[in-house]
Amino acid sequence: MAQTDQPAPRIGILMGSDSDLPVMKAAADVCAGFGVHCEVSVMSAHRTPGDVAEYASSAVERGLRVLIAGAGGAAHLAGVVAAHTPLPVIGVPVGGGSLNGLDALLATVQMPRGVPVATVAIGGASNAGLLAIQMLATGDPALLEQVRQYKAHLADEVREKNRKLAVGG
Ligand code: RP5
């Protein structure tokens, strides 16, 4: 087996089809921005249900600590993943289709008692990545400091916009 210097991924990003990748890529980009290794996979709750069950059931043993699952339409991927793992699962409803993602939002967010999926906005893969980082950061002081710096940077950006508006007004 090929050896790499890459650390084991701590975040797993799943999507129901490669057509979801343009949306879901944002989650991987956020992880990379924080220097956290993630793994990205395509598997479907409907087309490859056995693969999804196997992936989610073995996620803890493989070192993963948070899972992100994005799908569109009858978006059952995040829920099925949550059914098979004790890890926190973040759901991303992928937009498009005749209902513009409302179907995916409801299918992802309306989980039964006992099996939560932390659902972000339609197309909100960037926030899903950030939430996964924040979850990891609860047990990782260095990562927590990075999140603090990120939020400080966000605040600086808003203040800069306000300053520019005041100057131009
Ligand atoms: C869902 O169906 C996928 O997550 C995707 O959003 C949608 C369309 O899939 P493809 O027909 O493009 O493979 O299961």
Side-chain angles (χ1 to χ4, degrees):
M1 183 187 290
Q3 298 290 315
T4 72
D5 292 335
Q6 286 273 48
R10 287 191 284 167
I11 296 175
I13 300 174
L14 303 176
M15 61 202 82
S17 173
D18 59 354
S19 62
D20 300 320
L21 187 57
V23 171
M24 295 304 294
K25 184 180 177 303
D29 289 345
V30 168
C31 295
F34 280 88
V36 172
H37 189 37
C38 66
E39 65 178 23
V40 180
S41 312
V42 173
M43 57 187 71
S44 164
H46 306 117
R47 294 163 175 162
T48 57
D51 292 359
V52 173
E54 169 61 27
Y55 180 96
S57 301
S58 62
V60 172
E61 286 68 30
R62 289 185 297 106
L64 295 169
R65 290 298 172 259
V66 185
L67 301 176
I68 298 171
H76 296 130
L77 182 59
V80 171
V81 168
H84 287 283
T85 181
L87 294 175
V89 176
I90 302 169
V92 182
V94 175
S98 51
L99 298 180
N100 291 323
L102 186 58
D103 44 0
L105 172 63
L106 297 179
T108 304
V109 77
Q110 290 287 47
M111 289 296 292
R113 179 176 54 80
V115 189
V117 167
T119 305
V120 296
I122 297 169
S126 170
N127 264 359
L130 190 55
L131 184 56
I133 293 293
Q134 289 177 293
M135 288 173 175
L136 281 184
T138 60
D140 183 333
L143 195 55
L144 193 62
E145 179 54 31
Q146 278 185 260
V147 173
R148 278 204 181 95
Q149 288 174 11
Y150 170 81
K151 292 180 93 67
H153 177 67
L154 277 185
D156 286 345
E157 281 185 341
V158 172
R159 292 185 189 112
E160 177 61 13
K161 287 174 185 173
N162 185 50
R163 191 190 64 75
K164 280 183 179 161
L165 198 66
V167 169

